[in-house]
Amino acid sequence: AQSVSQHNHHVILSEAASLELGCNYSYGGTVNLFWYVQYPGQHLQLLLKYFSGDPLVKGIKGFEAEFIKSKFSFNLRKPSVQWSDTAEYFCAVNLIYTGFQKLVFGTGTRLLVSP
Amino acid sequence: EPEVTQTPSHQVTQMGQEVILRCVPISNHLYFYWYRQILGQKVEFLVSFYNNEISEKSEIFDDQFSVERPDGSNFTLKIRSTKLEDSAMYFCASSEALDRGNTGELFFGEGSRLTVL
């Protein structure tokens, strides 16, 4: 079955540390890739997305992600985190089939940034 | 910018009661979805809807659940007899068709929080 894996469930960092959150998926067909952020008590917000072209995509708030097709990965990075980045981060993979699509979420990574 | 809107933002209900969650998708979108997020857990796919019928549903979407597009704008999720474990945030989403060069990106509403007592 198709799945999306986020290996880090909880990450604790100090401000200014660099961040990398892993995301891997298992599906051999066409995909679109997303990272969403959910701040405490709030709804999902789109951080960045990849459809085609340059595999390094930049999103809001200084986040970027790199699609490595051979590794089925779409890791999220930020060079220097801030306390306000404390949130839960969800990787999502849109599986493209003939005539329909299905967006599958990873289990999420809870990031705590200490000031 | 067009957006997906959901009502109510929060609903509290007694176990066994029927609940209807409403969504207004983006007007030119053709695919509609419901997702669920139990507190502290991941976002789970419930159902997708296209051309007035369900195109795919997950094992969570059992006979207690139904979806409907009663008019040209609303997309509803009905839970017939709520259980405690139905307490969750329910997200509606919509997307354009995958053809005509569209990306098929899903646009999410802000969610409806359902609390079953």
Side-chain angles (χ1 to χ4, degrees):
Chain A
Q2 299 84 13
S3 67
V4 180
S5 301
Q6 292 182 242
H7 307 295
N8 316 101
H9 298 295
H10 290 90
V11 173
I12 301 174
L13 294 173
S14 300
E15 273 194 315
S18 65
L19 170 72
E20 180 160 2
L21 302 182
C23 174
N24 289 88
Y25 64 93
S26 61
Y27 178 64
T30 302
V31 295
N32 296 327
L33 301 156
F34 305 83
W35 276 96
Y36 289 88
V37 62
Q38 189 175 36
Y39 297 102
Q42 296 191 26
H43 60 279
L44 294 168
Q45 295 179 43
L46 182 66
L47 264 183
L48 47 76
K49 57 191 175 186
Y50 172 82
F51 294 113
S52 63
D54 188 345
L56 183 63
V57 291
K58 295 191 183 299
I60 60 171
K61 305 186 182 189
F63 286 90
E64 64 179 32
E66 185 174 13
F67 173 46
I68 303 179
K69 190 173 182 179
S70 60
K71 295 185 177 180
F72 298 90
S73 70
F74 190 56
N75 292 354
L76 180 71
R77 299 194 290 250
K78 185 171 183 178
S80 176
V81 294
Q82 302 171 308
W83 174 79
S84 57
D85 292 325
T86 294
E88 187 147 21
Y89 293 81
F90 292 95
C91 178
V93 179
N94 200 11
L95 313 175
I96 311 296
Y97 301 90
T98 301
F100 75 101
Q101 60 184 359
K102 182 177 178 180
L103 185 68
V104 179
F105 283 82
T107 50
T109 297
R110 196 156 292 173
L111 172 66
L112 174 64
V113 180
S114 57
Chain B
E1 186 176 322
E3 58 182 18
V4 176
T5 57
Q6 291 185 238
T7 54
S9 56
H10 190 189
Q11 181 157 357
V12 181
T13 190
Q14 296 289 327
M15 192 168 56
Q17 295 297 303
E18 177 183 282
V19 161
I20 297 176
L21 305 179
R22 291 181 169 80
C23 170
V24 179
I26 294 173
S27 61
N28 64 332
H29 285 184
L30 299 177
Y31 291 82
F32 314 110
Y33 312 83
W34 283 101
Y35 283 78
R36 179 182 82 174
Q37 185 184 29
I38 294 171
L39 186 65
Q41 298 186 25
K42 73 171 184 176
V43 180
E44 301 172 291
F45 169 77
L46 289 179
V47 66
S48 59
F49 190 87
Y50 171 70
N51 200 26
N52 283 320
E53 59 183 24
I54 291 173
S55 49
E56 188 175 3
K57 60 182 181 179
S58 71
E59 61 274 11
I60 303 168
F61 195 88
D62 61 21
D63 292 343
Q64 296 282 34
F65 291 89
S66 62
V67 288
E68 195 178 33
R69 191 158 161 79
D71 52 43
S73 60
N74 289 286
F75 178 53
T76 61
L77 174 70
K78 182 193 288 186
I79 309 175
R80 289 190 184 83
S81 177
T82 51
K83 303 187 284 281
L84 295 176
E85 54 265 36
D86 293 327
S87 294
M89 180 75 89
Y90 290 82
F91 292 102
C92 174
S94 68
S95 70
E96 295 175 306
L98 282 175
D99 57 6
R100 300 191 290 273
N102 297 322
T103 62
E105 178 183 349
L106 274 67
F107 291 81
F108 283 88
E110 296 195 354
S112 293
R113 185 174 297 281
L114 175 64
T115 302
V116 182
L117 304 176

